[in-house]
Amino acid sequence: MLFISYIKVAFRNMWKQKFYALINIIGLALGLTVCTMIGMYVADEFSYDEFHSDVENLYRVGLHGKLAGQEIRSYTTCPPLANGMLTEIPGIEKVTRVNNYNNIVFRYDDLVFTEEKIIDADSTFFDVFGFKLLKGDPQQVLVKPNSMVITESLAKKYLGDEEPIGKIIQVGNSKLAFEVTGLAEDPPSNSHIEFEAILSMSSNEKSYNSTEWLNNYLYTYFVKHPEADTETIAELLEPITIRNVEPQLQQFTGMDFSKLREGGGEYRYNAHPITDTRLYNDLEHDMTPAGNIQHVYILIAVGLFILIIACINFMNLATARSAGRAKEVGMRKTLGSHRGQLILQFLSESVVYAFLATLVALILAVAFLPGFNTLSGKELSLEFFYEPQVILGILVIILLTGVLAGSYPAFYLTSFNPVEVLKGKVKGGVKSKSVRSALVVFQFALSIMMVISTAVVFQQISFMRDKNIGIDKHNVLIVKSSHRLNDQKPAFKKQVQGMGQVQAASFTNNSFPGVNSNTIFRSAGLDQDHIMGLYYTDHDHQEVLKFEMAEGRFFSEEFPSDSTAAVINEAAVRELGWTNPLEEHIIHFQGEAPQKMKVIGVIKDFNYESFKSEVRPLVILTGAWGAHLHVRYEGDPQSLIQSIEQEWKGIAPGEPFEYTFLDDEFDKLFRAEERLGKIFTVFTILTLVIATLGLFALASFTSEQRTREIGIRKVLGASDFDLVRLLSFEFTKLVLIAIVIAVVPAYFIMSDWLNGFNYRIELSWGVFVISCVLAILVAWITVGLQALKAARLNPSHALRYE
């Protein structure tokens, strides 16, 4: 009965003070909405790969090496590693290998599509992982050569409602026939392994039964016995690696393991829990892009900041209106209420506010979920709210938010001496003024920090997008998988070059950004190895990419000897220690015998990889067998695309036509930062809205409390401007203090974030000034509107107030 009484009083007070109650509920609801969305995002990030049945014992192997001065940190491993681990290391129960492909053509009857998520896997794939197989025997579906498992979505795409088992699908440019032996459920969105079809590795025994230990191109996973120690497994893996890698290492570099490590080199395989793949992944060459634990921590901090700001609004308004509630407290104490009962009453009221705000927040979260998915690149669903732990978490949040938001008002109001209250000695929340000021300062400091952070993130993104990386990435169309044209490639290129909009066209085997191959090179006459990036292209490549030559020339049809020549970048010159590179030769270690090549040109360094790393040494060789045609054009690309597609279909009518743009491919490098910036923008706006709501309500209350003073000042001749300035000064002072507090931590936080980029902006004080001015303007407009409203009040009404 007592609790019901508390609830009734809470609703009566809300109805009595509808304006302030509405602001409280809206502010808390917005804060909780943000927390809900961030909670869904963070929960999804931490749930990656958790669905596997034996996940606590499931590991993947990574490679840590340092050869020829180049650091190698990769998830790719060699084919024979899996069998060596299974047969020689006690405690390893199962192993499997996976390899992934992009742009594989699938054909069934008249249907032809290019599929992006195709993997090869050992027959033990479904023993190791927890992916659901709907049809087929998990032990047998990937045993036979040319067998495959397809997902429900792929089956629907090609087969409709037909029975998939036993169907024959042609795969690849060679049109190999694969039999469907299994039907799998689409992999969950929180899996780092993505697939639409799984091809049996036994279909390519020559490649996957290789004994080359230095050729790392696939992924190895294993399940250990629950009692097996991962450190022991790592120790046992060491001699296996040395025994098998050392002979090949000596063959290519002339060094054994002891000499390699004496020179600072390394070659070691390590075990990593599969659950670390998403967020704690600092290795390269993974199947899917990794997440970023720093981004997750940032979003958690943002969510907490916004919730704190929303709670501050509640506390500010509650303490500000302490005079009206103080008399109630004094009366209740006089009538026998204990302080504990009064504290419980006020905490109950704040929990009611939190409950109502949570209901509104859940409605908003459901409404905003599709937009948030688009913003974050996620596939979050409402099923999140059906989990028992989520429901429990929401209840805990209601309780904690209510207690946090109502704690200070409850303990402050109940501390009044009832005699002093009833004598009128507690006026207008005077004792709480310093607390309210501190809360406003803290609130705006957080808001200003978020505004600064958002501005810096977008400046860095704009810098990366617009930076001259050494090539002209704009107006370059990439026709993908041109190898499907076979011997018609030269004719296709000639037809494209003859189109009016085309300035130049070039075949290359490289997919920018990045470089598809890394190979050992030596300076002629020296024994020191150097690992450098390598790709092949034709004579028109420079005209397409428009990179500059530092020395020498690029390949030309006028020089037949260019077939045994090389063009390198400035980073390669520095790596090799040359002073006159055009007088040098480079030894290429690939194939049966090393090739000696004359350096005919040096390219100025261009950033062909991530903005987070320095430009690496690069070697370009000539060859017209590349799979991608890069086309530099002018004018509208759509008409050009239609013309090229028509030409493609005339030469290869059964092959799908695919294209992309070079600048789009480079933009993908900072897709994660771009998403973070957009999320920050939305949350920063919400932060300012919540802070403004609180400031608006507080300014309204302050104006209300000073109504008589305003009337007297107007009678004595004060202008509207004088009164607005008077009422705004106090809040302006608080915002200025918040600026001082916010600038320093914002500077250090964003400096640390920018240090993750090798190519970055320098923090400009202009960003800080603009952000601070924005905060002041928001405060002035918010407070000024209320102050102007109070200043224009008729003095006679003001003097009759109270």
Side-chain angles (χ1 to χ4, degrees):
M1 291 296 294
L2 189 62
F3 179 74
I4 294 173
S5 173
Y6 293 159
I7 303 300
K8 286 181 179 180
V9 171
F11 279 105
R12 285 171 185 165
N13 283 320
M14 286 182 191
W15 185 252
K16 183 179 178 182
Q17 302 171 0
K18 293 185 284 291
F19 173 74
Y20 299 104
L22 184 63
I23 287 182
N24 266 334
I25 291 173
I26 292 175
L28 277 175
L30 289 176
L32 289 169
T33 301
V34 172
C35 285
T36 301
M37 308 302 287
I38 291 177
M40 295 176 71
Y41 182 96
V42 170
D44 185 74
E45 288 289 293
F46 280 111
S47 72
Y48 262 73
D49 299 305
E50 290 282 356
F51 60 90
H52 298 295
S53 56
D54 201 13
V55 66
E56 64 275 7
N57 297 310
L58 181 54
Y59 287 76
R60 66 187 306 194
V61 183
L63 171 64
H64 177 212
K66 190 174 183 181
L67 297 173
Q70 294 292 321
E71 191 84 12
I72 304 170
R73 297 184 62 82
S74 172
Y75 270 129
T76 54
T77 57
C78 60
L81 175 65
N83 186 61
M85 295 178 67
L86 184 63
T87 57
E88 299 187 44
I89 299 180
I92 293 183
E93 298 182 334
K94 305 170 189 175
V95 296
T96 197
R97 301 171 301 170
V98 176
N99 197 10
N100 68 318
Y101 298 97
N102 295 316
N103 303 320
I104 303 295
V105 177
F106 273 44
R107 295 177 174 85
Y108 180 78
D109 289 344
D110 296 331
L111 298 175
V112 182
F113 295 100
T114 299
E115 304 300 343
E116 297 289 338
K117 301 174 183 178
I118 308 302
I119 65 174
D120 285 349
D122 280 323
S123 60
T124 53
F125 181 83
F126 288 99
D127 288 337
V128 171
F129 298 113
F131 298 108
K132 294 182 180 179
L133 192 65
L134 304 176
K135 293 184 179 181
D137 183 353
Q139 310 292 328
Q140 300 296 323
V141 287
L142 295 173
V143 171
K144 296 179 181 178
N146 289 31
S147 59
M148 67 187 301
V149 175
I150 62 176
T151 60
E152 287 181 290
S153 57
L154 195 72
K156 190 72 175 177
K157 181 177 180 180
Y158 287 92
L159 307 172
D161 295 327
E162 295 180 41
E163 170 59 44
I165 305 300
K167 293 295 189 293
I168 303 297
I169 296 177
Q170 293 178 330
V171 178
N173 202 42
S174 57
K175 301 180 182 179
L176 294 175
F178 277 75
E179 179 185 359
V180 178
T181 54
L183 179 69
E185 189 177 275
D186 290 349
S189 61
N190 59 348
S191 169
H192 85 276
I193 299 177
E194 299 178 347
F195 61 86
E196 294 170 330
I198 310 172
L199 311 181
S200 60
M201 275 193 171
S202 58
S203 309
N204 191 359
E205 291 186 350
K206 182 179 180 181
S207 177
Y208 294 122
N209 289 341
S210 168
T211 58
E212 294 289 333
W213 279 74
L214 282 176
N215 192 8
N216 297 282
Y217 59 89
L218 50 75
Y219 307 95
T220 301
Y221 299 82
F222 68 89
V223 177
K224 71 176 184 67
H225 189 277
E227 296 182 1
D229 181 51
T230 52
E231 292 185 3
T232 302
I233 290 174
E235 291 174 1
L236 295 174
L237 185 56
E238 176 79 356
I240 297 174
T241 305
I242 294 175
R243 184 174 68 251
N244 290 282
V245 172
E246 193 167 51
Q248 297 176 25
L249 191 67
Q250 287 179 319
Q251 177 184 352
F252 285 103
T253 67
M255 292 187 295
D256 57 19
F257 256 85
S258 59
K259 288 184 178 179
L260 174 71
R261 288 173 173 168
E262 285 175 7
E266 185 57 88
Y267 201 90
R268 184 189 305 274
Y269 289 108
N270 299 306
H272 303 266
I274 193 172
T275 50
D276 286 356
T277 296
R278 175 66 179 178
L279 294 176
Y280 303 95
N281 179 355
D282 60 348
L283 277 66
E284 299 176 344
H285 308 124
D286 203 354
M287 281 183 281
T288 52
N292 189 316
I293 189 62
Q294 281 190 328
H295 290 180
V296 172
Y297 289 151
I298 288 171
L299 288 177
I300 291 174
V302 167
L304 290 176
F305 285 172
I306 292 177
L307 183 59
I308 290 171
I309 289 172
C311 291
I312 285 172
N313 282 348
F314 183 94
M315 296 171 70
N316 266 339
L317 288 177
T319 53
R321 301 190 67 81
S322 59
R325 301 302 301 275
K327 291 181 179 179
E328 176 190 342
V329 170
M331 185 63 68
R332 287 179 178 273
K333 280 190 173 184
T334 303
L335 295 175
S337 294
H338 298 293
R339 189 185 182 197
Q341 293 174 320
L342 295 173
I343 290 174
L344 185 59
Q345 176 195 331
F346 287 113
L347 291 180
S348 299
E349 288 186 21
S350 62
V351 169
V352 169
Y353 273 101
F355 176 76
L356 295 175
T358 302
L359 290 181
V360 176
L362 292 176
I363 295 171
L364 293 176
V366 172
F368 294 156
L369 187 57
F372 185 73
N373 280 337
T374 302
L375 190 68
S376 63
K378 291 284 187 182
E379 297 178 15
L380 306 174
S381 69
L382 297 180
E383 294 179 2
F384 173 82
F385 296 106
Y386 303 154
E387 298 291 333
Q389 59 267 34
V390 174
I391 296 173
L392 179 62
I394 291 173
L395 295 176
V396 170
I397 287 174
I398 292 173
L399 183 61
L400 288 179
T401 304
V403 171
L404 176 64
S407 58
Y408 182 83
F411 288 99
Y412 173 71
L413 294 176
T414 58
S415 66
F416 294 155
N417 185 310
V419 176
E420 292 181 350
V421 171
L422 294 177
K423 285 182 177 180
K425 293 185 178 181
V426 179
K427 297 284 186 183
V430 175
K431 293 183 179 180
S432 64
K433 182 177 179 181
S434 59
V435 176
R436 292 204 308 275
S437 299
L439 293 176
V440 168
V441 168
F442 182 67
Q443 186 181 50
F444 264 85
L446 293 180
S447 302
I448 293 165
M449 286 174 61
M450 288 197 64
V451 171
I452 292 171
S453 300
T454 302
V456 172
V457 168
F458 271 104
Q459 272 197 327
Q460 176 65 18
I461 292 170
S462 178
F463 170 80
M464 292 188 293
R465 182 180 286 112
D466 300 333
K467 183 182 185 301
N468 181 4
I469 60 174
I471 60 173
D472 185 357
K473 61 184 178 181
H474 303 291
N475 289 13
V476 177
L477 174 73
I478 304 174
V479 181
K480 301 168 68 176
S481 304
S482 302
H483 63 278
R484 296 170 185 163
L485 301 174
N486 297 320
D487 57 356
Q488 294 297 311
K489 283 174 54 181
F492 177 71
K493 177 184 174 183
K494 186 174 182 181
Q495 291 295 327
V496 171
Q497 285 177 317
M499 296 177 182
Q501 290 181 254
V502 175
Q503 297 175 330
S506 167
F507 276 116
T508 176
N509 75 326
N510 195 53
S511 298
F512 292 102
V515 63
N516 294 349
S517 176
N518 293 284
T519 308
I520 294 177
F521 289 89
R522 285 182 186 172
S523 177
L526 299 177
D527 294 333
Q528 184 177 358
D529 295 322
H530 302 270
I531 296 179
M532 300 187 186
L534 168 69
Y535 72 84
Y536 290 81
T537 188
D538 58 25
H539 305 90
D540 301 308
H541 192 56
Q542 182 185 11
E543 195 174 350
V544 173
L545 294 189
K546 295 189 177 298
F547 47 74
E548 297 182 21
M549 303 299 299
E551 296 183 63
R553 61 176 178 84
F554 198 67
F555 302 114
S556 172
E557 292 179 332
E558 298 178 2
F559 297 90
S561 60
D562 281 0
S563 60
T564 57
V567 173
I568 63 177
N569 65 354
E570 293 173 309
V573 175
R574 293 191 296 270
E575 172 76 15
L576 295 166
W578 289 343
T579 54
N580 299 303
L582 300 185
E583 298 177 5
E584 301 285 355
H585 288 76
I586 193 169
I587 308 298
H588 179 206
F589 285 88
Q590 191 166 356
E592 295 182 359
Q595 279 186 292
K596 185 177 181 180
M597 297 182 165
K598 177 171 177 56
V599 176
I600 61 170
V602 177
I603 297 174
K604 289 185 178 180
D605 284 340
F606 68 89
N607 195 316
Y608 58 89
E609 292 181 308
S610 170
F611 287 88
K612 295 184 177 182
S613 58
E614 294 183 1
V615 176
R616 294 192 299 115
L618 175 68
V619 178
I620 304 175
L621 304 180
T622 184
W625 48 271
H628 309 290
L629 182 66
H630 289 63
V631 182
R632 177 160 292 282
Y633 66 89
E634 57 184 0
D636 177 26
Q638 294 307 315
S639 58
L640 176 63
I641 291 168
Q642 292 174 4
S643 300
I644 295 177
E645 183 175 10
Q646 186 177 356
E647 187 64 36
W648 176 283
K649 289 181 177 178
I651 295 176
E655 298 291 343
F657 174 73
E658 300 170 307
Y659 67 91
T660 185
F661 293 92
L662 187 61
D663 51 359
D664 287 344
E665 294 301 308
F666 272 95
D667 286 350
K668 291 178 182 177
L669 289 174
F670 44 87
R671 186 71 51 81
E673 283 75 21
E674 193 166 29
R675 283 177 177 161
L676 179 68
K678 290 178 179 178
I679 292 173
F680 247 79
T681 300
V682 173
F683 290 164
T684 298
I685 292 172
L686 287 175
T687 302
L688 286 173
V689 168
I690 295 170
T692 302
L693 278 174
L695 196 60
F696 178 80
L698 204 56
S700 175
F701 173 75
T702 302
S703 300
E704 181 183 317
Q705 291 295 97
R706 302 177 72 173
T707 300
R708 180 177 292 178
E709 176 190 347
I710 291 170
I712 294 172
R713 287 182 180 274
K714 289 201 73 172
V715 169
L716 295 176
S719 66
D720 289 350
F721 176 78
D722 292 330
L723 293 173
V724 170
R725 183 179 59 184
L726 173 70
L727 295 173
S728 302
F729 176 76
E730 179 182 347
F731 293 101
T732 302
K733 182 175 64 176
L734 298 179
V735 173
L736 290 174
I737 295 172
I739 288 172
V740 174
I741 295 174
V743 165
V744 174
Y747 177 86
F748 284 106
I749 290 171
M750 297 318 296
S751 293
D752 184 64
W753 181 75
L754 288 171
N755 286 336
F757 298 88
N758 194 62
Y759 299 89
R760 47 159 288 182
I761 62 170
E762 293 299 325
L763 278 177
S764 167
W765 285 108
V767 174
F768 292 83
V769 171
I770 292 173
S771 301
C772 295
V773 169
L774 176 63
I776 292 174
L777 287 176
V778 168
W780 277 353
I781 293 171
T782 304
V783 177
L785 289 174
Q786 282 300 304
L788 186 61
K789 179 182 176 182
R792 288 183 173 178
L793 188 66
N794 189 313
S796 62
H797 294 298
L799 294 175
R800 284 203 304 266
Y801 182 73
E802 297 180 345

